[in-house]
């Protein structure tokens, strides 16, 4: 959980591994994320991107993707009820 990780001191090797693993992550306000994803899309010359989020809670992951989609001018997703 985030609380467990927040209380843990990482070793130097672990810190380097985390830096390497997150080097390509895009983090920030929705407009910044949308801009960076647009630049990436143009650089790679692709017509779609697959996006994931590392938020711990499901509601936070959903909200993150909603904010990103909105900033990119995409319509809200219709999620079927379970």
């Amino acid at each position: 959980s985030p609380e467990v990780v927040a209380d843990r001191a990482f070793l130097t090797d672990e810190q380097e591994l985390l830096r390497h693993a997150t080097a390509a992550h895009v983090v920030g306000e929705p407009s910044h994320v949308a801009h960076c994803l647009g630049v990436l899309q143009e650089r790679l010359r692709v017509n779609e991107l697959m996006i994931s989020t590392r938020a711990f809670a499901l509601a936070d992951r959903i909200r993150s993707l909603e904010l990103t989609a909105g900033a990119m001018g995409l319509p809200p997703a219709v999620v079927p009820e379970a």
Side-chain angles (χ1 to χ4, degrees):
S1 74
E3 296 78 22
V4 170
V5 173
D7 291 339
R8 185 175 183 279
F10 289 95
L11 302 173
T12 303
D13 290 352
E14 293 172 319
Q15 291 174 0
E16 182 58 32
L17 179 64
L18 286 171
R19 266 192 297 281
H20 178 73
T22 61
H25 288 189
V26 178
V27 179
E29 295 293 320
S31 59
H32 171 73
V33 172
H35 171 76
C36 290
L37 292 175
V39 169
L40 178 64
Q41 186 175 12
E42 287 178 18
R43 184 169 54 95
L44 296 175
R45 297 181 182 158
V46 297
N47 61 4
E48 69 179 20
L49 296 171
M50 294 181 68
I51 301 171
S52 64
T53 178
R54 293 205 177 213
F56 182 73
L58 176 59
D60 293 338
R61 291 193 304 269
I62 292 170
R63 185 65 182 141
S64 174
L65 294 171
E66 288 173 341
L67 290 169
T68 301
M72 296 184 80
L74 300 171
V78 177
V79 180
E81 302 232 357

